[in-house]
Amino acid sequence: MAKTMLHNCNAATMEIGRGPYGLVDDCTVVVEGELIAWVGPRSELPSGMRCRSSVDLGGALVTPGLVDCHTHIVFAGNRAREFELRLDGIDYSEIARRGGGILSTMKATREASEDDLVEQSLPRLDSLIAEGVSTVEIKSGYGLSIESELKMLRAARKLGKLRGIGVKTSWLAAHAVPPEFRGRSDEYVDEVAIPGLVLAHELGLVDAVDGFCEDIAFNTEQLSRLFDHAVSLGLPVKLHSEQLSNMGGSKLAAGFGALSSDHLEHLDADGTAAMAAAGTVAVLLPGAYYTLGGSKVPPVPGLREAGVPIAVATDGNPGSSPMFSVLLAMNMACTLFGLTPEEALAGTTRNAALALGMIEDRGTISVGKRADLAVWKIEHPSELSYRIGYNPIEHRMVGGELR
Ligand code: DI6
Ligand code: FE
């Protein structure tokens, strides 16, 4: 297969053991088909390496293609009116209790056709792609009936095909209790969340199982029942945990060997220890913290100390995080949660890939991984977290194809 050489660049490979950011100055990356065939300083390029074409990147900085490992970008409508209510002092949980929140998006999403959903969601995906994202996780969770949840997953898969990027789908039927099951959340889990999961799995529409562990949503006993089914289907789990309160969700998820536990503002030392022992990634979502005006930040020093890998994602959704910028999520993770810019970039590359179970395949610039790259007109990778509302992308490469 013909090889292409990318040269005259600096690369933040994000490989562990290569120093800060895995930086390689005057780097050459050789791409063969969809994969990275060689990466290193130009001076060390093997003399026998023959490339059919070469691309001069003019001194740009190359990173792995970014990975947004937690999004809800498939939905219909918007919730600008609730934004107004929140500014009037009515909080997120109260809006949810009044039948707004997730349930108002449910209504719009149920009414939308699959094509409508794709059409409404595409600009949100494009906003992420424009910032160098080449892999995105997309959850269901606004259908809340078997058919509507499947419709969301089909729309998510279609988005990936339309744009030729990696999409991982998560089954999030356990996101909220729909009106027809009000006061009967156990029945909802048994009649919708579990049988729908089995069907979605049969149809090949689902890569992981997620839930919302909160008193306005589902408790650990219900989620544990759902996760038992995930395990029996061979699907990995993840969980929205400790976002608004501490219900022990992270500990529960870690017990199932969860890929990730997400939000974590109210995580305690016990939960942190369980995540560390299970190798569960902490996915921080500063957009939701910012939007909801959170008062408690995730315990970043404790996560670091315990050696829990930290990822950063947009949580792009119509309610708690109407943010479709991964660069802004990185900036906020630094300014609001105290991450270093290097941790923020690891959080949207290496650790985000880990959170999706895709580290063998992407997340660093390494031989044998997919040639998913982002080329930036910057001098140092810290610049990606530093600016606000500025996108220095120059080129993107997805699966070896320069776009
Ligand atoms: N936590 C969140 O931040 C989103 N879902 C969840 O479980 C919010 C979704 C929404 O408000 O529409
Ligand atoms: Fe979320």
Side-chain angles (χ1 to χ4, degrees), residues 50-239:
R50 292 268 162 273
C51 294
R52 183 153 80 186
S53 55
S54 77
V55 182
D56 182 341
L57 294 179
L61 186 109
V62 183
T63 66
L66 302 186
V67 177
D68 192 352
C69 68
H70 179 140
T71 87
H72 310 246
I73 59 171
V74 168
F75 60 84
N78 76 76
R79 306 227 297 269
R81 178 68 193 117
E82 278 173 30
F83 177 57
E84 294 184 322
L85 287 177
R86 280 203 312 277
L87 290 170
D88 258 349
I90 302 168
D91 77 10
Y92 181 77
S93 300
E94 176 56 27
I95 290 170
R97 273 189 289 272
R98 292 183 187 183
I102 293 171
L103 294 184
S104 75
T105 300
M106 175 207 76
K107 217 167 152 284
T109 301
R110 283 185 176 178
E111 282 163 11
S113 69
E114 188 180 319
D115 286 345
D116 276 347
L117 274 181
V118 169
E119 192 185 314
Q120 291 193 43
S121 306
L122 203 50
R124 296 187 275 269
L125 179 63
D126 284 341
S127 163
L128 297 175
I129 290 173
E131 290 185 342
V133 169
S134 46
T135 303
V136 55
E137 185 259 14
I138 304 177
K139 303 173 192 300
S140 71
Y142 291 119
L144 309 182
S145 69
I146 294 178
E147 200 29 64
S148 302
E149 290 285 295
L150 295 177
K151 176 176 72 181
M152 286 187 70
L153 295 183
R154 285 194 299 267
R157 287 274 156 96
K158 202 178 256 177
L159 288 174
K161 283 212 184 72
L162 278 171
R163 288 298 183 256
I165 69 152
V167 166
K168 281 274 190 183
T169 52
S170 300
W171 178 256
L172 181 58
H175 193 199
V177 182
E180 62 275 21
F181 282 92
R182 184 160 298 137
R184 299 190 296 128
S185 52
D186 277 313
E187 280 103 313
Y188 174 75
V189 171
D190 294 333
E191 292 168 29
V192 176
I194 292 172
L197 168 63
V198 173
L199 192 53
H201 175 66
E202 265 169 34
L203 294 169
L205 287 172
V206 58
D207 298 309
V209 179
D210 198 349
F212 188 19
C213 186
E214 203 64 59
D215 62 3
I216 54 168
F218 297 90
N219 63 37
T220 49
E221 189 277 318
Q222 294 165 331
L223 291 162
S224 163
R225 247 185 304 134
L226 173 68
F227 285 175
D228 281 336
H229 283 80
V231 169
S232 71
L233 296 171
L235 290 169
V237 307
K238 54 174 77 178
L239 192 60

